[in-house]
């Protein structure tokens, strides 16, 4: 009897081990076959958004980002959309966003459904819009007159550029730096200003226009001024003081 019991025990153990191995192999095959679906839905416990909902939301966001990018002269952008599952909706989703903000950086979309019952939810997206913007190619010292050789353009995500930027190097030519600028720094309007094209007591050419007629005369600047500024100028012939706009080095313009 002891021998018989031992045999039965051994057989039962082998059956148990065999069944355990079968279960293990089944689990491995399930992981191989279903892969990411299993890991996302079962392991992470986070249901994935329905494909039709994802496509509708993605299409909406694409249109919004493409429209904004085009308005600033760019077609270079990308975004990542949260795929967290939404409640069931039998009607097209109503999608909106805060129109007072540009669709860049962290964007929140409001999702609404009417059928089979009303619900409202929010989806997050990470949006990046790129432009080639002007950065310092060399270290620029304070009060330095700027030339094209001081800059280069670099592809940059503008989502978090808060103080403005330039896309054209030509815009900065002949301006003056207001502070020291290190290599690679994005150039903002706060960092530069136009150099004075006219200095006080300097002789200037006054260009007076009336319709298609233009007359030129000499004058003396009573104030310093840079591009586009309005300054007082004394007409050397009539000795009258007039207001004129600085339009070039040692050159101002007024109207008859």
């Amino acid at each position: 009897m002891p021998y018989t019991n031992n045999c039965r025990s051994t057989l039962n153990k082998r059956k148990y081990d065999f069944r355990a191995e079968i279960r293990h192999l089944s689990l491995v095959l399930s992981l191989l076959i279903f892969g990411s679906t299993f890991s996302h839905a079962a392991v992470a416990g986070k249901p994935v958004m329905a494909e039709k909902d994802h496509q509708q939301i993605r299409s909406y966001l694409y249109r919004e980002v493409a429209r904004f990018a085009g308005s600033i002269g760019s077609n270079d952008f990308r975004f990542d959309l949260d795929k967290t599952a939404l409640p069931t909706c039998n009607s097209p989703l109503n999608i909106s966003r805060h129109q007072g903000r540009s669709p860049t950086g962290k964007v929140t979309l409001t999702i609404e459904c009417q059928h089979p019952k009303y619900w409202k939810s929010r989806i997050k997206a990470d949006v990046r819009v790129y432009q080639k913007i002007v950065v310092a190619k060399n270290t620029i010292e304070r009060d330095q007159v700027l030339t094209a050789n001081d800059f280069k353009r670099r592809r940059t995500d503008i989502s978090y550029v808060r103080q403005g930027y330039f896309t054209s190097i030509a815009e900065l030519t002949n301006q003056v730096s207001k502070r020291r600028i290190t290599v690679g720094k994005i150039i903002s309007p706060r960092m530069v200003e136009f150099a004075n094209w006219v200095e006080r007591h300097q002789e200037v050419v006054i260009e007076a226009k009336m319709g298609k007629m233009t007359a030129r005369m000499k004058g003396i600047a009573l104030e310093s001024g840079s591009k586009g500024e309005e300054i007082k100028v004394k007409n050397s012939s009539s000795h009258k003081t007039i207001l004129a706009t600085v339009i070039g080095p040692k050159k101002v313009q007024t109207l008859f």
Side-chain angles (χ1 to χ4, degrees), residues 214-229:
T214 301
R216 293 178 178 82
M217 60 212 76
K218 291 183 179 181
I220 301 294
L222 302 180
E223 298 175 304
S224 299
S226 60
K227 179 183 178 181
E229 290 186 331

Side-chain angles (χ1 to χ4, degrees), residues 146-159:
L146 305 173
T147 69
N149 292 329
D150 294 316
F151 307 106
K152 64 180 180 180
R153 295 202 307 158
R154 184 179 69 201
R155 181 177 180 262
T156 303
D157 175 11
I158 64 164
S159 304

